[in-house]
Amino acid sequence: MANATQPKKRGAFDRFLDTVEKIGNKLPDPVMLFVYLAAAILVASAIFGMMGTSAVNPGTGETITVVNLLNGEGLIRILTEMVTNFTSFPPLGLVLVVMLGVGLAESTGLITAMMKATVLKAPKKIILPIIVLVAISGNAAADAAFVVLPPIVAMIFAALGRHPLAGIAVAYAACAGAFGANLLLSLTDPLVYGFTEPAAHMVDPDYQGNPMINYYFLCISALILIPVATFVTNRIVEPRLGKFEGIVKAESTEEITAEEKKGLKWAGLSILITGAILAFLTLPENAILRNPEDGGLIISPFMDSIIPIMMILFIVPAIAYGKASGVLKNSRDFGNHLGKAMASMGPYIVIAFVAGQMIAYFNWSNLGPVIAINGAAALDSIGFTGLPLFLGFILIAALINFLIASASAKWAILAPVFVPMFLMMGYDPAVTQVAYRIGDSLTNPITPMFPYFAIVLTFARKYNPKMGMGTFMTTLLPYSIAFTIMWLILFSVWFLLDIPLGPGGGIYLGQ
């Protein structure tokens, strides 16, 4: 009979993750990793630039040549645009602006009180699926979900006695890894379709689709990925993390106090008033925040203002809560809490500076487009047809994600290659687009090229200051693997059964 105290034998998948974690943790600190990557990009640009390495953009016919950044002109650009690279780093302003609101709501105790009054009273079995659904739907609010959800979900997990790093992981993985899935039409739909239709016109000038050509498939994807993310969190990620031994306060599980009830009452009233004002600015036919040309909301001042709106929706109730509960007694308290909210962002700002330089160098060098175009040509030369062809395309798109993180930038390169190629084989541009959107999503959680990777790592280090790149990537890797398996199965079934992908979009042309 086996010894009752004998350690449980680790499975093959656990051993695989252990290996990935061990290798990953040998990587340097993220700040230095981005420094080394930036240096490697500069050296590669010099080597391939002097070799004259190039590729022809299939959409425009333009020859794209690798640019040497280590000559005189390149060095001048590195020095003169260093500050701009930092200040124009896409997530920098977004993160700092949103965290003003989220941080104030956390500092004043609003988020903790809300969790006591609502989330913690809900059946525990449905809390995680609801969190995943909110995260998957988060891309309808542009990129704000990547910043807002992970720290809040970490607090929810801690309040439930669960590991906060598991909360960060599932929130980020659902936002990033399921980026192509949604129950709602989001900004990404018209953005991606804007490249699909012109690419189709290269072969069929009469082709006409719409931004919803993938809607049915993306809705079902969102629903299917909810139990997948829930299973991975409960059965793989959280057990590997073990019991949290950090400094999260136990007060979040106590009963709500009279001061907190009063604060929540005024916070709720302030949200209603703010919501009414926002509705007035968006719902009427000629509202200020609607598109002045067609009256739409998908592409409009409303979507362009989503980050300030998110900040306001946090900061207004936080002030109301703080005043009513006695936390904010005067303007000095308000300033102190804002400072406290932003104090933890120092490490992220350092990473943003270095990452901003690295991404700028990569863009200037043209290494990404040249590699992507040549990779697309390689797939074209393999000679696959039917389902294997599309599965190969999904995996190529997923791999290119490690080079170019922007969904629109990748599709601007890939659409003119694959949409006409597959269209000439009789496939609807809708199936090519949906295959790309799957591939674009799968590796988002684990690619350091994705701008929010560094941000969420900063959030994670709040609970584990010594967390290395390997541990962080290993925590996220099970989601990417599970999403890949489930999405490839779903796509295969959809493809083989020839099910419409959305209004006006199918598998084969002319459906």
Side-chain angles (χ1 to χ4, degrees):
M1 182 175 177
N3 192 330
T5 62
Q6 184 177 352
K8 181 181 178 181
K9 186 177 180 181
R10 299 179 67 78
F13 187 64
D14 274 325
R15 294 195 299 273
F16 165 70
L17 292 179
D18 290 341
T19 302
V20 173
E21 181 176 1
K22 184 177 180 181
I23 295 172
N25 280 339
K26 292 183 181 296
L27 294 172
D29 181 85
V31 172
M32 291 309 301
L33 179 63
F34 285 122
V35 170
Y36 297 147
L37 287 174
I41 289 167
L42 293 175
V43 173
S45 76
I47 294 172
F48 292 105
M50 288 188 288
M51 290 173 57
T53 305
S54 64
V56 177
N57 187 316
T60 63
E62 173 191 4
T63 299
I64 302 175
T65 305
V66 175
V67 176
N68 179 5
L69 298 177
L70 288 183
N71 56 21
E73 184 179 346
L75 291 174
I76 291 173
R77 188 174 189 185
I78 289 170
L79 292 173
T80 57
E81 299 189 29
M82 184 176 293
V83 176
T84 305
N85 293 340
F86 173 51
T87 57
S88 61
F89 183 54
L92 179 64
L94 183 154
V95 173
L96 296 181
V97 170
V98 171
M99 285 307 294
L100 277 173
V102 176
L104 185 64
E106 179 182 356
S107 177
T108 57
L110 172 60
I111 292 179
T112 299
M114 288 180 63
M115 288 192 298
K116 288 182 185 179
T118 56
V119 177
L120 300 183
K121 294 186 181 299
K124 291 188 176 181
K125 289 185 178 180
I126 69 170
I127 291 177
L128 181 54
I130 290 174
I131 287 172
V132 175
L133 175 60
V134 171
I136 290 176
S137 302
N139 62 55
D143 292 341
F146 293 102
V147 181
V148 174
L149 288 177
I152 293 178
V153 176
M155 293 176 64
I156 292 174
F157 267 53
L160 292 170
R162 303 184 63 169
H163 205 301
L165 289 177
I168 288 177
V170 68
Y172 179 62
C175 285
F179 189 73
N182 210 321
L183 299 177
L184 308 170
L185 192 68
S186 71
L187 182 62
T188 306
D189 295 279
L191 183 64
V192 172
Y193 180 74
F195 294 103
T196 302
E197 185 171 298
H201 287 168
M202 295 169 63
V203 173
D204 182 3
D206 297 325
Y207 171 78
Q208 185 175 3
N210 62 81
M212 297 184 69
I213 52 176
N214 299 148
Y215 183 68
Y216 302 153
F217 181 86
L218 299 183
C219 279
I220 298 300
S221 296
L223 296 175
I224 287 179
L225 292 180
I226 292 172
V228 173
T230 302
F231 175 85
V232 169
T233 305
N234 289 334
R235 305 296 291 272
I236 300 175
V237 171
E238 198 163 11
R240 277 185 59 83
L241 289 170
K243 182 176 175 60
F244 182 64
E245 302 291 347
I247 55 174
V248 174
K249 297 179 181 179
E251 63 185 15
S252 57
T253 59
E254 296 172 357
E255 289 297 320
I256 191 167
T257 65
E259 290 79 8
E260 289 172 332
K261 287 182 180 179
K262 182 180 178 181
L264 286 176
K265 176 182 176 181
W266 285 97
L269 180 61
S270 71
I271 290 176
L272 289 176
I273 295 172
T274 305
I277 295 172
L278 185 60
F280 175 76
L281 295 175
T282 55
L283 295 183
E285 185 176 350
N286 297 316
I288 295 174
L289 294 181
R290 284 185 173 271
N291 188 312
E293 296 181 2
D294 60 16
L297 282 175
I298 298 298
I299 301 177
S300 66
F302 171 75
M303 292 305 299
D304 293 338
S305 306
I306 196 69
I307 302 306
I309 289 172
M310 293 290 291
M311 181 195 70
I312 291 169
L313 288 175
F314 277 99
I315 211 166
V316 169
I319 293 173
Y321 174 86
K323 283 288 187 182
S325 64
V327 175
L328 298 178
K329 297 181 177 64
N330 50 49
S331 59
R332 182 176 298 175
D333 287 341
F334 176 68
N336 288 339
H337 277 273
L338 280 178
K340 180 181 176 182
M342 299 303 292
S344 62
M345 297 308 295
Y348 165 68
I349 293 174
V350 175
I351 291 177
F353 174 78
V354 183
Q357 309 306 318
M358 184 207 71
I359 291 175
Y361 300 163
F362 199 67
N363 291 336
W364 296 347
S365 70
N366 286 336
L367 285 167
V370 170
I371 295 172
I373 291 170
N374 289 329
L379 180 60
D380 185 22
S381 66
I382 293 175
F384 279 170
T385 58
L387 181 60
L389 173 69
F390 282 95
L391 295 181
F393 173 53
I394 290 172
L395 296 179
I396 287 291
L399 291 175
I400 291 176
N401 219 17
F402 286 98
L403 301 172
I404 308 173
S406 168
S408 58
K410 286 195 298 291
W411 193 225
I413 294 169
L414 297 180
V417 178
F418 291 102
V419 171
M421 181 174 75
F422 293 165
L423 195 151
M424 287 188 290
M425 297 171 66
Y427 295 108
D428 194 307
V431 70
T432 308
Q433 178 179 287
V434 84
Y436 165 72
R437 296 189 69 176
I438 294 172
D440 171 61
S441 302
L442 295 178
T443 48
N444 272 343
I446 57 174
T447 170
M449 292 300 293
F450 199 60
Y452 299 100
F453 182 89
I455 298 171
V456 182
L457 176 56
T458 304
F459 292 151
R461 286 187 163 183
K462 175 181 177 181
Y463 299 97
N464 181 4
K466 296 182 179 180
M467 171 167 277
M469 291 277 287
T471 302
F472 187 55
M473 294 182 71
T474 304
T475 304
L476 295 167
L477 183 59
Y479 295 102
S480 282
I481 294 174
F483 286 3
T484 299
I485 294 171
M486 184 55 66
W487 235 335
L488 291 183
I489 292 173
L490 179 63
F491 178 84
S492 299
V493 171
W494 213 286
F495 187 95
L496 295 174
L497 295 180
D498 192 14
I499 302 172
L501 293 161
I507 305 297
Y508 299 98
L509 193 64
Q511 287 186 325

PDB file of all heavy atoms in Angstrom, residues 9 18 96 125 149 160 163 242 246 301 306 344 349 359-360 393 396 417 428 439 449:
ATOM      1  N   LYS A   9       2.162  12.276  -7.838  1.00  0.00           N
ATOM      2  CA  LYS A   9       2.984  12.215  -9.045  1.00  0.00           C
ATOM      3  C   LYS A   9       2.521  13.281 -10.044  1.00  0.00           C
ATOM      4  O   LYS A   9       1.338  13.413 -10.325  1.00  0.00           O
ATOM      5  CB  LYS A   9       2.872  10.830  -9.678  1.00  0.00           C
ATOM      6  CG  LYS A   9       3.815  10.641 -10.860  1.00  0.00           C
ATOM      7  CD  LYS A   9       3.714   9.224 -11.405  1.00  0.00           C
ATOM      8  CE  LYS A   9       4.660   9.055 -12.590  1.00  0.00           C
ATOM      9  NZ  LYS A   9       4.578   7.688 -13.160  1.00  0.00           N
ATOM     10  N   ASP A  18       6.644  23.008 -15.873  1.00  0.00           N
ATOM     11  CA  ASP A  18       7.797  23.225 -15.002  1.00  0.00           C
ATOM     12  C   ASP A  18       9.045  23.547 -15.813  1.00  0.00           C
ATOM     13  O   ASP A  18       9.843  24.421 -15.447  1.00  0.00           O
ATOM     14  CB  ASP A  18       8.062  21.973 -14.144  1.00  0.00           C
ATOM     15  CG  ASP A  18       6.988  21.752 -13.083  1.00  0.00           C
ATOM     16  OD1 ASP A  18       6.261  22.721 -12.775  1.00  0.00           O
ATOM     17  OD2 ASP A  18       6.876  20.619 -12.584  1.00  0.00           O
ATOM     18  N   LEU A  96      -2.064  55.094 -17.407  1.00  0.00           N
ATOM     19  CA  LEU A  96      -1.988  56.095 -16.349  1.00  0.00           C
ATOM     20  C   LEU A  96      -3.326  56.801 -16.150  1.00  0.00           C
ATOM     21  O   LEU A  96      -3.721  57.089 -15.017  1.00  0.00           O
ATOM     22  CB  LEU A  96      -0.887  57.106 -16.665  1.00  0.00           C
ATOM     23  CG  LEU A  96       0.545  56.518 -16.715  1.00  0.00           C
ATOM     24  CD1 LEU A  96       1.552  57.614 -17.005  1.00  0.00           C
ATOM     25  CD2 LEU A  96       0.887  55.798 -15.424  1.00  0.00           C
ATOM     26  N   LYS A 125     -19.905  29.598  -7.556  1.00  0.00           N
ATOM     27  CA  LYS A 125     -19.761  28.840  -8.797  1.00  0.00           C
ATOM     28  C   LYS A 125     -19.939  29.702 -10.042  1.00  0.00           C
ATOM     29  O   LYS A 125     -19.433  29.354 -11.118  1.00  0.00           O
ATOM     30  CB  LYS A 125     -20.767  27.682  -8.820  1.00  0.00           C
ATOM     31  CG  LYS A 125     -20.433  26.561  -7.839  1.00  0.00           C
ATOM     32  CD  LYS A 125     -21.396  25.406  -8.001  1.00  0.00           C
ATOM     33  CE  LYS A 125     -21.033  24.260  -7.055  1.00  0.00           C
ATOM     34  NZ  LYS A 125     -21.960  23.104  -7.195  1.00  0.00           N
ATOM     35  N   LEU A 149      -9.441  45.359 -15.747  1.00  0.00           N
ATOM     36  CA  LEU A 149      -9.903  44.101 -15.168  1.00  0.00           C
ATOM     37  C   LEU A 149      -8.871  43.336 -14.332  1.00  0.00           C
ATOM     38  O   LEU A 149      -9.203  42.861 -13.238  1.00  0.00           O
ATOM     39  CB  LEU A 149     -10.459  43.194 -16.270  1.00  0.00           C
ATOM     40  CG  LEU A 149     -11.801  43.641 -16.857  1.00  0.00           C
ATOM     41  CD1 LEU A 149     -12.222  42.703 -17.983  1.00  0.00           C
ATOM     42  CD2 LEU A 149     -12.879  43.673 -15.784  1.00  0.00           C
ATOM     43  N   LEU A 160     -12.098  36.378  -1.981  1.00  0.00           N
ATOM     44  CA  LEU A 160     -12.736  35.064  -1.930  1.00  0.00           C
ATOM     45  C   LEU A 160     -11.829  33.997  -1.326  1.00  0.00           C
ATOM     46  O   LEU A 160     -12.204  32.824  -1.245  1.00  0.00           O
ATOM     47  CB  LEU A 160     -13.140  34.632  -3.345  1.00  0.00           C
ATOM     48  CG  LEU A 160     -14.268  35.439  -4.008  1.00  0.00           C
ATOM     49  CD1 LEU A 160     -14.399  35.070  -5.475  1.00  0.00           C
ATOM     50  CD2 LEU A 160     -15.598  35.196  -3.289  1.00  0.00           C
ATOM     51  N   HIS A 163      -6.224  32.667  -4.987  1.00  0.00           N
ATOM     52  CA  HIS A 163      -4.941  33.270  -5.306  1.00  0.00           C
ATOM     53  C   HIS A 163      -5.136  34.457  -6.246  1.00  0.00           C
ATOM     54  O   HIS A 163      -5.673  34.308  -7.344  1.00  0.00           O
ATOM     55  CB  HIS A 163      -4.019  32.241  -5.968  1.00  0.00           C
ATOM     56  CG  HIS A 163      -2.568  32.547  -5.800  1.00  0.00           C
ATOM     57  ND1 HIS A 163      -2.004  33.719  -6.257  1.00  0.00           N
ATOM     58  CD2 HIS A 163      -1.564  31.846  -5.190  1.00  0.00           C
ATOM     59  CE1 HIS A 163      -0.711  33.715  -5.973  1.00  0.00           C
ATOM     60  NE2 HIS A 163      -0.423  32.603  -5.317  1.00  0.00           N
ATOM     61  N   GLY A 242      -0.720  27.360  -5.956  1.00  0.00           N
ATOM     62  CA  GLY A 242      -0.767  26.988  -4.543  1.00  0.00           C
ATOM     63  C   GLY A 242      -1.493  28.035  -3.706  1.00  0.00           C
ATOM     64  O   GLY A 242      -2.142  28.935  -4.213  1.00  0.00           O
ATOM     65  N   GLY A 246       0.625  35.919   0.743  1.00  0.00           N
ATOM     66  CA  GLY A 246       1.014  37.324   0.713  1.00  0.00           C
ATOM     67  C   GLY A 246       0.365  38.153   1.793  1.00  0.00           C
ATOM     68  O   GLY A 246      -0.076  37.641   2.823  1.00  0.00           O
ATOM     69  N   PRO A 301     -16.714  59.702 -31.825  1.00  0.00           N
ATOM     70  CA  PRO A 301     -16.041  60.334 -30.684  1.00  0.00           C
ATOM     71  C   PRO A 301     -16.243  59.568 -29.382  1.00  0.00           C
ATOM     72  O   PRO A 301     -15.388  59.615 -28.494  1.00  0.00           O
ATOM     73  CB  PRO A 301     -16.690  61.723 -30.619  1.00  0.00           C
ATOM     74  CG  PRO A 301     -17.111  62.002 -32.016  1.00  0.00           C
ATOM     75  CD  PRO A 301     -17.543  60.670 -32.568  1.00  0.00           C
ATOM     76  N   ILE A 306     -13.277  56.610 -24.972  1.00  0.00           N
ATOM     77  CA  ILE A 306     -13.628  55.545 -24.038  1.00  0.00           C
ATOM     78  C   ILE A 306     -12.698  55.519 -22.819  1.00  0.00           C
ATOM     79  O   ILE A 306     -13.127  55.201 -21.703  1.00  0.00           O
ATOM     80  CB  ILE A 306     -13.618  54.163 -24.754  1.00  0.00           C
ATOM     81  CG1 ILE A 306     -14.362  53.119 -23.914  1.00  0.00           C
ATOM     82  CG2 ILE A 306     -12.231  53.722 -25.092  1.00  0.00           C
ATOM     83  CD1 ILE A 306     -15.835  53.311 -23.823  1.00  0.00           C
ATOM     84  N   SER A 344       2.190  53.083  -7.181  1.00  0.00           N
ATOM     85  CA  SER A 344       2.601  51.731  -7.572  1.00  0.00           C
ATOM     86  C   SER A 344       2.923  51.614  -9.054  1.00  0.00           C
ATOM     87  O   SER A 344       3.357  50.547  -9.511  1.00  0.00           O
ATOM     88  CB  SER A 344       1.487  50.736  -7.229  1.00  0.00           C
ATOM     89  OG  SER A 344       0.302  51.041  -7.949  1.00  0.00           O
ATOM     90  N   ILE A 349       6.235  52.385 -15.445  1.00  0.00           N
ATOM     91  CA  ILE A 349       6.737  53.509 -16.228  1.00  0.00           C
ATOM     92  C   ILE A 349       8.156  53.216 -16.724  1.00  0.00           C
ATOM     93  O   ILE A 349       8.508  53.528 -17.871  1.00  0.00           O
ATOM     94  CB  ILE A 349       6.704  54.807 -15.396  1.00  0.00           C
ATOM     95  CG1 ILE A 349       5.244  55.204 -15.127  1.00  0.00           C
ATOM     96  CG2 ILE A 349       7.431  55.942 -16.102  1.00  0.00           C
ATOM     97  CD1 ILE A 349       5.085  56.384 -14.194  1.00  0.00           C
ATOM     98  N   ILE A 359      10.062  48.651 -29.306  1.00  0.00           N
ATOM     99  CA  ILE A 359       9.022  48.543 -30.328  1.00  0.00           C
ATOM    100  C   ILE A 359       9.247  49.558 -31.431  1.00  0.00           C
ATOM    101  O   ILE A 359       9.029  49.278 -32.620  1.00  0.00           O
ATOM    102  CB  ILE A 359       7.635  48.703 -29.676  1.00  0.00           C
ATOM    103  CG1 ILE A 359       7.343  47.477 -28.785  1.00  0.00           C
ATOM    104  CG2 ILE A 359       6.544  48.860 -30.725  1.00  0.00           C
ATOM    105  CD1 ILE A 359       6.051  47.578 -28.003  1.00  0.00           C
ATOM    106  N   ALA A 360       9.701  50.754 -31.081  1.00  0.00           N
ATOM    107  CA  ALA A 360       9.999  51.767 -32.102  1.00  0.00           C
ATOM    108  C   ALA A 360      11.115  51.288 -33.027  1.00  0.00           C
ATOM    109  O   ALA A 360      11.009  51.407 -34.257  1.00  0.00           O
ATOM    110  CB  ALA A 360      10.386  53.083 -31.436  1.00  0.00           C
ATOM    111  N   PHE A 393      -2.818  28.446 -41.836  1.00  0.00           N
ATOM    112  CA  PHE A 393      -2.869  29.915 -41.836  1.00  0.00           C
ATOM    113  C   PHE A 393      -3.094  30.450 -40.416  1.00  0.00           C
ATOM    114  O   PHE A 393      -2.482  31.443 -40.008  1.00  0.00           O
ATOM    115  CB  PHE A 393      -3.990  30.377 -42.771  1.00  0.00           C
ATOM    116  CG  PHE A 393      -4.240  31.852 -42.732  1.00  0.00           C
ATOM    117  CD1 PHE A 393      -3.212  32.763 -42.915  1.00  0.00           C
ATOM    118  CD2 PHE A 393      -5.516  32.358 -42.497  1.00  0.00           C
ATOM    119  CE1 PHE A 393      -3.436  34.131 -42.886  1.00  0.00           C
ATOM    120  CE2 PHE A 393      -5.754  33.715 -42.467  1.00  0.00           C
ATOM    121  CZ  PHE A 393      -4.704  34.608 -42.656  1.00  0.00           C
ATOM    122  N   ILE A 396       0.195  30.227 -38.596  1.00  0.00           N
ATOM    123  CA  ILE A 396       1.132  31.248 -39.084  1.00  0.00           C
ATOM    124  C   ILE A 396       0.790  32.602 -38.470  1.00  0.00           C
ATOM    125  O   ILE A 396       1.668  33.342 -38.001  1.00  0.00           O
ATOM    126  CB  ILE A 396       1.090  31.337 -40.617  1.00  0.00           C
ATOM    127  CG1 ILE A 396       1.776  30.129 -41.245  1.00  0.00           C
ATOM    128  CG2 ILE A 396       1.769  32.622 -41.102  1.00  0.00           C
ATOM    129  CD1 ILE A 396       3.269  30.082 -41.041  1.00  0.00           C
ATOM    130  N   VAL A 417      -2.436  39.259 -49.171  1.00  0.00           N
ATOM    131  CA  VAL A 417      -1.870  37.988 -49.630  1.00  0.00           C
ATOM    132  C   VAL A 417      -2.927  36.900 -49.627  1.00  0.00           C
ATOM    133  O   VAL A 417      -3.186  36.240 -50.647  1.00  0.00           O
ATOM    134  CB  VAL A 417      -0.689  37.555 -48.725  1.00  0.00           C
ATOM    135  CG1 VAL A 417      -0.133  36.208 -49.179  1.00  0.00           C
ATOM    136  CG2 VAL A 417       0.396  38.607 -48.727  1.00  0.00           C
ATOM    137  N   ASP A 428     -14.845  32.277 -49.361  1.00  0.00           N
ATOM    138  CA  ASP A 428     -15.353  33.604 -49.015  1.00  0.00           C
ATOM    139  C   ASP A 428     -14.310  34.350 -48.182  1.00  0.00           C
ATOM    140  O   ASP A 428     -13.680  33.762 -47.298  1.00  0.00           O
ATOM    141  CB  ASP A 428     -16.656  33.442 -48.205  1.00  0.00           C
ATOM    142  CG  ASP A 428     -17.439  34.744 -48.080  1.00  0.00           C
ATOM    143  OD1 ASP A 428     -16.836  35.738 -47.652  1.00  0.00           O
ATOM    144  OD2 ASP A 428     -18.639  34.736 -48.382  1.00  0.00           O
ATOM    145  N   GLY A 439      -6.103  33.210 -35.137  1.00  0.00           N
ATOM    146  CA  GLY A 439      -4.658  33.169 -34.978  1.00  0.00           C
ATOM    147  C   GLY A 439      -4.113  34.385 -34.272  1.00  0.00           C
ATOM    148  O   GLY A 439      -3.199  34.282 -33.435  1.00  0.00           O
ATOM    149  N   MET A 449       5.653  41.031 -27.105  1.00  0.00           N
ATOM    150  CA  MET A 449       5.459  42.134 -28.046  1.00  0.00           C
ATOM    151  C   MET A 449       4.102  42.797 -27.853  1.00  0.00           C
ATOM    152  O   MET A 449       3.877  43.902 -28.332  1.00  0.00           O
ATOM    153  CB  MET A 449       5.580  41.630 -29.491  1.00  0.00           C
ATOM    154  CG  MET A 449       6.976  41.189 -29.872  1.00  0.00           C
ATOM    155  SD  MET A 449       8.189  42.521 -29.734  1.00  0.00           S
ATOM    156  CE  MET A 449       7.627  43.608 -31.037  1.00  0.00           C
TER     157      MET A 449
END
